[in-house]
């Protein structure tokens, strides 16, 4: 409705401008003197109701400074409203008697005069709630507001507690072949039967997110494969009832898949991943976080059959070793994002392979890869010059040498996480702070629980002009004065810091002994008895 209101406001403003120009030129026109004088008289006639003059359109031309608080239209009756709309649509300030008589109270001029395509265009900018409100205005608006062209993308995540199977089926019937994107994340009441009707009603579905839909099983994937052959994006993370059979049915007919998330689907093994990789060679994004069955053989099948991979998430795939990552690096040379957090069996061999083959790598998450050392990061940094984000949290074996290699070879780094890297010192931060590229590009630096970091580190970071966030939780040797210093230097810097309360030092205090016992703090005496001054 706000869109329609804005449309009226702009159009009416243009009409007023034309009327004002007309009134100023009436003195030079003899043929229209009578009409012009009457129009000018009505335009200049001031009212005493606190507003401004009223034009022939029934519009208030506001002159005061608080014009935004005044009503746009000063139309009191339905008849006057219809007259105004007719004048507005017909681009005239007058209306004949025949036109006035032709106005029917049961017909909305906006519906009668405005093309259906234009109303649909206006509705296309509205959200779900506004569309539902428009659908209650009239039968005509109900038809237009619920037209499938306005519902090509539906996100029901925010309504997860209210959405059940009937709601989804009704939406699918209304949208039909227009629906292309659907998000039903956490909608736990939806069943395989509802998904069958959805797939049947919406054959042009391209993207679907079913994360945490715990009632869905292989049957849903069967129906999607049967009816939705244009599917290119699917997220079935944490759908625990889906296994290798469901993946096989899905991939058999949806060979155009480019984006697939099977995170925490514990029943999907290397056989299911092999079927997916063999049938969907266009995969560019694959997420398998927490899939303990993601073995070296599965990694091999994925790498050989899907060489176009750009994003690969193998977080918590604890069975993977250097053998699987070496094959991935050799075949997926376009890889730009790799998450291998919590893969504790990986060594420097993986980093060397990444530096040798994956020159497009921009993001690496190596959290808790405790076997990575300075030598591995030297090889990786020399080959991955485009690196922008690096997460080395809990990589306890690295030292300041790793930071030196990064400063020398990776000028594009914007986000650097070094939390719990206990061997990082002020010298390592100096390498980052003295790098010209880091001074321009570094945005986020996390140094939580780095016990050897001192105020000197803060001084080194003063050169990083674009720093936006600094995390220094539990860095006990960093003082509050240093924090105030960098905060003064960068007023917009977001600093996350915590200073544990220190044990109070003992001082010589004058005490008054208890007259009933020999101690200065007796638990058996009253509070007024034992006084410590």
């Amino acid at each position: 409705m706000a869109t329609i209101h804005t449309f009226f406001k702009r159009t009416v403003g243009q009409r007023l401008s034309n009327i004002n120009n007309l009134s100023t030129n009436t003195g030079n026109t003899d043929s229209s003197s009578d009409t012009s004088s009457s129009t000018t008289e009505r335009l200049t006639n001031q009212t005493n109701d606190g507003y401004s003059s009223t034009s022939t359109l029934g519009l208030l031309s506001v002159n005061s400074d608080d014009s935004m608080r005044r009503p746009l239209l000063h139309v009191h009756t339905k008849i006057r409203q219809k007259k105004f709309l007719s004048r507005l649509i017909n681009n005239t300030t007058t209306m004949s008697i025949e036109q006035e008589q032709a106005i029917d109270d049961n017909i909305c001029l906006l519906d009668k005069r405005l093309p259906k395509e234009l109303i649909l265009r206006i509705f296309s900018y509205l959200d779900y709630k506004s569309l539902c409100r428009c659908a209650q205005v009239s039968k005509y608006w109900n038809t237009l507001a619920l037209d499938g062209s306005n519902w090509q993308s539906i996100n029901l995540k925010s309504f997860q507690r209210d959405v059940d199977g009937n709601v989804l089926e009704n939406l699918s019937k209304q949208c039909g072949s227009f629906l292309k994107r659907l998000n039903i994340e956490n909608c736990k009441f939806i069943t395989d039967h509802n998904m069958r009707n959805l797939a049947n009603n919406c054959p042009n579905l391209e993207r679907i997110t079913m994360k945490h839909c715990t009632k869905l099983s292989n049957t849903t994937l069967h129906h999607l494969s049967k009816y939705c052959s244009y599917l290119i994006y699917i997220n079935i993370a944490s759908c625990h009832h889906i296994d290798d059979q469901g993946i096989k049915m899905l991939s058999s007919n949806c060979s155009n898949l480019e984006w697939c998330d099977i995170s925490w689907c514990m029943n999907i093994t290397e056989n299911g991943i092999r079927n997916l990789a063999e049938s969907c060679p266009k995969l560019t994004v694959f997420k398998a976080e927490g899939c303990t069955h993601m073995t070296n053989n599965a990694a091999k099948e994925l790498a050989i059959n899907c060489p176009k991979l750009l994003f690969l998430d193998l977080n918590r795939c604890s069975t993977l070793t250097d053998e699987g990552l070496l094959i991935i690096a050799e075949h997926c040379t376009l890889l730009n994002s790799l998450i291998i957090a919590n893969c504790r069996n990986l060594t420097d061999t993986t980093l060397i392979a990444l530096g040798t083959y994956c020159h497009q790598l921009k993001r690496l998450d190596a959290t808790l890869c405790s076997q990575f050392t300075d030598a591995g990061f030297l090889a990786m940094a020399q080959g991955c010059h485009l690196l922008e984000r690096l997460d080395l949290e809990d990589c306890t074996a690295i030292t300041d040498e790793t930071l030196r290699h990064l400063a020398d070879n990776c000028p594009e780094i914007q986000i650097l996480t070094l939390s719990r890297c206990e061997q990082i010192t002020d010298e390592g931060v100096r390498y980052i702070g003295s790098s010209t590229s880091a001074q321009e590009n570094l945005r986020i630096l996390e140094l939580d629980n780095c016990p050897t970091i001192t105020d000197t580190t803060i001084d080194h970071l003063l050169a990083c002009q674009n720093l936006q966030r600094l995390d220094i939780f539990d860095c006990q040797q960093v003082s509050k004065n240093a924090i105030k210093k960098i905060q003064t230097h960068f007023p917009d810097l977001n600093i996350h810091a915590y200073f544990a309360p220190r044990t109070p030092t003992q001082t010589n205090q004058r005490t008054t002994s208890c007259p009933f016992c020999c101690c200065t703090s007796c638990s058996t005496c009253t509070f007024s008895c034992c006084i410590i001054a």
Side-chain angles (χ1 to χ4, degrees), residues 243-252 269-281 301 305:
D243 55 22
D244 294 341
Q245 189 65 26
I247 294 295
K248 183 178 181 180
M249 289 187 290
L250 175 69
S251 58
S252 62
T269 67
E270 63 180 59
N271 294 327
I273 296 174
R274 182 180 65 252
N275 291 328
L276 179 67
E278 290 177 350
S279 302
C280 305
E301 296 293 337
N305 293 284

Side-chain angles (χ1 to χ4, degrees), residues 184-192 210-218 220 236-242 264 267:
I184 54 173
E185 180 176 346
N186 281 315
C187 297
K188 301 182 184 300
F189 301 109
I190 295 176
T191 64
D192 291 328
M210 304 182 293
K211 185 177 181 180
H212 293 294
C213 293
T214 53
K215 290 187 177 182
L216 301 184
S217 65
N218 295 335
T220 292
I236 54 174
S238 299
C239 293
H240 304 297
H241 297 296
I242 294 178
W264 302 105
N267 294 322

Side-chain angles (χ1 to χ4, degrees), residues 251-270:
S251 58
S252 62
N253 196 37
C254 297
S255 58
N256 293 320
L257 271 181
E258 299 176 2
W259 203 105
C260 183
D261 189 348
I262 61 169
S263 299
W264 302 105
C265 293
M266 310 302 292
N267 294 322
I268 298 178
T269 67
E270 63 180 59

Side-chain angles (χ1 to χ4, degrees), residues 512-520 522 525-526 528-531:
T512 302
S513 299
C514 176
F516 301 101
C517 60
C518 60
C519 65
T520 57
C522 181
C525 300
T526 60
S528 59
C529 171
C530 297
I531 302 175

